[in-house]
Amino acid sequence: MELPWAEPFKIKMVENIYKSTREEREKWIAEADYNLFNLESRKVFIDLLTDSGTGAMSDKQWSEIMTGDESYAGSASFEKLKNTVQELTGFKYFLPTHQGRAAENVLFSVLVKEGMIIPGNAHFDTTKGHIEFRKAHAVDCTIDEAFDIENMHPFKGNIDLEKLENVYQKHPKEQIPFCLITVTCNTSGGQPVSMENIKAVRELSEKYGIPVYFDAARYAENAWFIKQREESQKDKSVREIIKEMFSYGDGMTMSSKKDGLVNIGGFIALNKEEVFQVASNFTIIYEGFVSYGGMAGRDMAALSQGLQESSEESYLESRVGQVEYLGNKLIEMGIPVQKPIGGHAVFVDAKTFLPNVAKEEYIAQTLAIELYKEAGIRGVEIGTLLADRDPESRENRYPRLELLRLAIPRRTYTNNHMDFIASALKNVYDRRKEITSGYEITWEAPIMRHFTVKLKKV
Ligand SMILES: *Cc1c(COP(=O)(O)O)cnc(C)c1O
């Protein structure tokens, strides 16, 4: 009999979580104006709001916290982290930042100017924010298969080479500072990009003289998918795959809160000395001196260890395996989810789940609230609230998909929690026909409304 995967760790410390009553939850969610971001975490039993900075560190990472070097310059923890990043990615230069968006801010301050075009697969929202803030444009060149949640394409994060070449032909190369590949593609559902695609993007970009950068928050999960799904890559180690992936790029920005296995942090790694020099100046202005960039020495030491652990295959097998475990449970129960299951989250198709709720009443948000009331589970709406209003007409933008994202923190919950989540969602599914109305907005901010919006029952 083939042995199943099992977590390559055991638990040394626990944090108790409170399983509330339905009565308490009904009261709390009303007090929070039906916005899950407003809920105190002690009122949540299983928190699937995000996988960002919510994972568990290992004993070795905690011991790094104790031995971190807090020197302003020449810190040994900085050297350790720099060596790990260079060894893992092959990039020559390294700059720490306080998180991923800070890395974007520093790098884009060097490379992105007004009117520029940055093509790529679906850009993450802070990435797009940093591009648009500079009056430049992000062009989504993701393959069309990504928008069909039933399509079983193994690499739905791939860039459509034809769409990319159109961008390259339409604009002079001076106007395109780089192509950005996000691995895995968070915005399209934690879907991976294949090695073949990365290589092809590199070759095409080289032909037009355009650099390639990675938004690399989940690069280790992406490498794991490549090993599993790409025939020509299956005999390589994950470390070899990571090295090869990055060999097709000129640099990367990283949110260490994902595959860095730490609670805060980020960095930039790159090859071009001129870019590094100018980026160093921006790091000093925005983040801190180049040897800490907004991070404590101890945090850099823990990140160095976290990067080693997150590229271990036994870890990735259990990480991606747990997300898949939850996804498959839901599929078995007949619950509509995005397929194939992504690397860090399961996306529930709320439109199919709740056919009797009008789109004007926020379908995915309604489902998120129902799941919280059912069992104290906090997911997040990826739907109309997030899509916000059109900046000109101020009308609601209704996206094609209304999704409830269940993001799984790393090394934090057990498969019993996954079973619990699946059962809770099944209970809501069984009474979906009775859910016929949703919510309306009583207050919203002019931008990024989903964080602070106030709602009431229709
Ligand atoms: C989280 C994330 C970021 C931003 O990183 P922060 O550490 O949250 O600032 C950028 N890109 C992707 C793909 C991400 O998932």
Side-chain angles (χ1 to χ4, degrees), residues 316-334:
L316 286 164
E317 179 180 43
S318 76
R319 159 64 177 160
V320 175
Q322 185 175 52
V323 179
E324 197 179 22
Y325 174 85
L326 173 62
N328 286 341
K329 273 250 133 124
L330 298 182
I331 292 170
E332 273 167 36
M333 291 169 165

Side-chain angles (χ1 to χ4, degrees), residues 11 42 51 69 83 90 121 129 159 181 242 263 268 272 284 287 299 308 312 316 335 350 363-364 383 401 411 438 444:
I11 295 167
R42 67 183 174 87
D51 66 320
D69 178 358
N83 289 337
N121 49 358
I159 290 180
I181 311 179
I242 291 169
N263 304 112
I268 297 168
K272 280 214 185 75
I284 294 169
E287 295 294 295
D299 285 338
Q308 306 278 0
E312 273 168 24
L316 286 164
I335 294 168
I363 306 167
L401 297 173
R411 303 193 291 207
E444 67 185 286

Side-chain angles (χ1 to χ4, degrees), residues 99-101 104 124 126 182 186 215 217-218 255 257-258:
Q99 55 184 89
R101 67 198 68 187
E104 292 165 354
F124 182 66
T126 63
T182 304
N186 188 349
D215 179 351
R218 297 181 183 80
S255 167
K257 304 174 75 169
K258 315 327 181 343

Side-chain angles (χ1 to χ4, degrees), residues 188-202:
S188 76
Q191 299 289 332
V193 184
S194 71
M195 188 73 90
E196 191 188 1
N197 190 250
I198 294 170
K199 199 171 165 197
V201 167
R202 175 75 200 180

Side-chain angles (χ1 to χ4, degrees), residues 91-134:
F91 290 124
K92 272 192 236 153
Y93 299 103
F94 166 76
L95 285 167
T97 62
H98 79 274
Q99 55 184 89
R101 67 198 68 187
E104 292 165 354
N105 187 32
V106 168
L107 186 71
F108 295 1
S109 292
V110 185
L111 299 175
V112 180
K113 303 273 165 341
E114 186 171 338
M116 284 182 164
I117 310 284
I118 292 99
N121 49 358
H123 303 64
F124 182 66
D125 51 14
T126 63
T127 317
K128 205 169 173 179
H130 275 296
I131 291 170
E132 291 178 349
F133 180 71
R134 291 172 171 80

